[in-house]
Amino acid sequence: MRIPARIANMSKIHTHLMAALCIAALNSAAQAEASTSDGFYMQYGVSRDKADAYTVGFITPMKWTRTFLDTKASGYWDFYGMFSVAPNNQGSSYKTWMAGVTPTLRLRLQEGRSNWFVEGGIGVSYSDVPYRTNSKKFSTRFNFADHVGVGYSFGPQRNQEVVLRVQHFSNGGIENPNPGENFLQLRYVHTF
């Protein structure tokens, strides 16, 4: 089977990270301990181009955990919808609706007892129109969405979280132009 040239040119970092997350999820499926609880979240983000991003989402755990060097590793699936608004030079705005899914790896110190955690993931997203700002225009509606973040759990049974994240959207070199966009995001999660 011949792979299309656009897909074959995908950036190596996206390919390696996606492969590592998939292998970790498949390799660990035998363990039945939940890594997190199901939950809903709201998130606000802003880019350098003054684009605002409003996101709502649902998280559900991957059914595995690993402990190494006093650190608990777990994972969850992040399903989301995002609406972004970027001002344009004509006094109106560029608007984009986006849906996506991201497998996410989370690490907690003290074998999972710490309220603090770090996480990262790489997923895919699809938008109603190619994302656009005054200085950027994406060529594709399909994009990769990778992030890193640091968060803190609190409340009864640690059922609430705040997470500060940096998320990058781009098509990984599938098609040009591929300017990419970075958002600084603040997320509030409530699990049940």
Side-chain angles (χ1 to χ4, degrees), residues 88-143:
N88 69 24
N89 293 330
Q90 289 76 39
S92 60
S93 56
Y94 299 110
K95 298 175 181 156
T96 308
W97 290 93
M98 186 182 303
V101 60
T102 303
T104 300
L105 176 67
R106 177 174 287 183
L107 302 174
R108 283 187 193 268
L109 294 176
Q110 300 172 337
E111 297 178 351
R113 294 184 305 276
S114 174
N115 286 344
W116 290 96
F117 59 87
V118 294
E119 64 180 32
I122 190 165
V124 294
S125 67
Y126 191 79
S127 59
D128 64 334
V129 295
Y131 176 83
R132 187 169 184 181
T133 68
N134 278 327
S135 64
K136 297 178 180 180
K137 184 175 182 191
F138 281 34
S139 59
T140 58
R141 292 171 26 175
F142 168 84
N143 288 286

Side-chain angles (χ1 to χ4, degrees), residues 18 21 59 62 76-80 100-105 120-125 144-147 165 167:
M18 184 64 85
L21 286 170
I59 61 172
M62 294 178 187
Y76 67 88
W77 292 99
D78 182 350
F79 300 92
Y80 62 90
V101 60
T102 303
T104 300
L105 176 67
I122 190 165
V124 294
S125 67
F144 294 98
D146 42 0
H147 78 275
R165 303 163 24 116
Q167 187 164 28

